[in-house]
Amino acid sequence: MSNFQAAVMAGALRFAFGLPGPVRRLIAGAPIRLDGQDLHPEAQLLLRLQQLTGTEWRTRTASESRLDLELSSKLVSGPKITGVGSRDLTIGEFAGRIYTPRLLAPGSPLLIFYHGGGWVTGSLESHDNLCRFLAREAGIRVLAADYRLAPEAPFPAAADDAAEVLRYAVAKADDLGIDPRRIALGGDSAGGNLAAVTAHGAEIDLSFLLLFYPGVDASVRRRSREIFGNGFFLTDEKMDWFLDQYTPGGKDRHDPRLSIMLAEDLSNLPPTYIATAGYDPLRDEGEAFAERLAADGVPVVLRRHEGLFHGFANVLGVGGIFREAVSEAVGALRTGFALANSAQEVEETA
């Protein structure tokens, strides 16, 4: 698919979402209800349109899967969000990108955001608009990193690179225009995994942890994976395939640098916001992680978006429910930084 074709299909998606409600429902099909919750009509329409146009994210080779995700992201992420500048960086052996809202003064907070994609797919481009949205709406700088991907670079390469990004941000704070005492980590799916793993091993105090439907425990299969393992974007087959690429032969799946849920002590993690999707195979995993953090004394807020599916954070260009869910997370991030600032001021005046 060319960029022109992708643009045409993106326009068609936006047109479909602008149709009258009864017409959208006719296209989407009969309402779906599973596990005591309704699939949101906008989520159901998007899934149906992806099926009709053949743009579902398929599991094939690594290169083909990467292309599938890039094209899928172009279709749903929407026009480039304005009001945010960006600058490409080199971080070790991989690329990075810093996003800065207009009129933002030096010394601002920083969110380091790790993109999802099963440690195999995803890139700076696939999550570009999400990072722009987070930067603009939260009024902060966002640093994204294009860490090494499996199977070319299997576990723990991505975890090592994620930690390197944090060290880079602290070392280059002046160049990046950020306050190294006010850094949050975030990510979606596999990126949420990397954010949590990096926070656990961090040598500095972090302000906040922002996790969208994170993968945190590769050692067990939970109930939501059985219920929502087919037909809702992320499938059971894809999850197995991603893990096989990142940890060939099943080795290392109990290592806390992959299954952070299995770490002996998580009490060093900063205040955390976890957003899960009701129709996500990873739902129960993320929610169990929230319970574990609370048990270890970490301030945590869990928000389940019942009618949505895995990957909703990237769907900023169609429908309203997806953007609303990300906006809610932005509010939590802003609150997290505000509380961290207050605690820092108290400490400085003590």
Side-chain angles (χ1 to χ4, degrees), residues 217-220 250-260 262-263:
D217 187 358
S219 68
V220 297
K251 65 177 183 179
D252 305 318
R253 293 190 182 175
H254 288 76
D255 191 317
R257 291 176 298 170
L258 172 62
S259 296
I260 184 63
L262 304 184

Side-chain angles (χ1 to χ4, degrees), residues 19 24 28 58 60 63 82 102 121 153 187 219 265 300 307 319 333:
L19 291 170
R24 295 199 306 268
R58 299 175 293 276
R60 301 180 292 180
S63 59
T82 59
R102 289 177 184 168
T121 68
S219 68
D265 183 6
V300 59
L333 178 63

Side-chain angles (χ1 to χ4, degrees), residues 97-101 104 108-114 127 130-145 165-166 169 176-180 182-188 191 195 206-212 270-271 273 326 329-330 332-334 337:
R97 185 174 293 164
I98 184 78
Y99 297 87
T100 304
L104 189 65
S108 72
L110 175 72
L111 170 68
I112 298 176
F113 193 85
Y114 304 101
H127 287 63
L130 174 56
C131 289
R132 291 179 183 276
F133 185 85
L134 294 171
R136 188 184 70 180
E137 298 303 310
I140 60 172
R141 285 179 171 83
V142 174
L143 175 62
V165 176
L166 176 56
L176 297 175
I178 61 103
D179 181 350
R182 296 188 292 166
I183 295 178
L185 303 185
D188 63 312
L206 296 166
S207 297
F208 200 69
L209 192 55
L210 179 70
L211 306 179
F212 294 101
Y273 177 89
V326 182
V330 169
L333 178 63
R334 292 174 66 99
F337 272 126

Side-chain angles (χ1 to χ4, degrees), residues 4-278:
F4 174 75
Q5 289 171 315
V8 170
M9 294 188 70
L13 280 177
R14 289 194 292 274
F15 173 78
F17 272 83
L19 291 170
V23 179
R24 295 199 306 268
R25 170 52 70 189
L26 182 63
I27 296 172
I32 294 175
R33 184 172 180 80
L34 283 176
D35 198 34
Q37 57 181 346
D38 296 315
L39 183 62
H40 193 281
E42 290 183 359
Q44 186 174 345
L45 177 60
L46 180 55
L47 290 171
R48 179 59 177 156
L49 290 171
Q50 287 182 320
Q51 293 170 356
L52 292 173
T53 57
T55 56
E56 308 107 300
W57 186 18
R58 299 175 293 276
T59 301
R60 301 180 292 180
T61 66
S63 59
E64 289 171 330
S65 293
R66 289 166 189 163
L67 180 59
D68 283 344
L69 181 58
E70 296 296 326
L71 294 177
S72 176
S73 296
K74 286 182 180 180
L75 292 178
V76 299
S77 62
K80 181 177 287 189
I81 289 173
T82 59
V84 180
S86 64
R87 176 166 59 95
D88 288 342
L89 308 166
T90 299
I91 304 173
E93 300 179 7
F94 46 93
R97 185 174 293 164
I98 184 78
Y99 297 87
T100 304
R102 289 177 184 168
L103 306 179
L104 189 65
S108 72
L110 175 72
L111 170 68
I112 298 176
F113 193 85
Y114 304 101
H115 69 74
W119 307 280
V120 179
T121 68
S123 67
L124 294 177
E125 297 307 323
S126 67
H127 287 63
D128 180 73
N129 235 23
L130 174 56
C131 289
R132 291 179 183 276
F133 185 85
L134 294 171
R136 188 184 70 180
E137 298 303 310
I140 60 172
R141 285 179 171 83
V142 174
L143 175 62
D146 212 2
Y147 53 86
R148 291 174 294 167
L149 299 175
E152 296 88 346
F155 174 83
D160 291 342
D161 290 350
E164 184 175 350
V165 176
L166 176 56
R167 291 193 294 270
Y168 171 90
V170 173
K172 300 289 185 179
D174 289 342
D175 293 340
L176 297 175
I178 61 103
D179 181 350
R181 299 169 301 174
R182 296 188 292 166
I183 295 178
L185 303 185
D188 63 312
S189 193
N193 167 273
L194 296 175
V197 169
T198 303
H200 185 246
E203 297 178 353
I204 64 169
D205 291 331
L206 296 166
S207 297
F208 200 69
L209 192 55
L210 179 70
L211 306 179
F212 294 101
Y213 34 84
V216 291
D217 187 358
S219 68
V220 297
R221 297 174 62 90
R222 289 180 169 81
R223 178 173 172 270
S224 59
R225 185 164 173 178
E226 306 300 333
I227 301 172
F228 308 110
N230 188 41
F232 304 104
F233 184 65
L234 179 62
T235 66
D236 186 57
E237 178 188 10
K238 288 176 189 173
M239 292 177 67
D240 283 338
W241 184 81
F242 283 136
L243 282 170
D244 287 342
Q245 307 305 302
Y246 191 44
T247 56
K251 65 177 183 179
D252 305 318
R253 293 190 182 175
H254 288 76
D255 191 317
R257 291 176 298 170
L258 172 62
S259 296
I260 184 63
M261 177 84 79
L262 304 184
E264 290 186 6
D265 183 6
L266 294 173
S267 61
N268 70 320
L269 265 62
T272 300
Y273 177 89
I274 300 177
T276 62

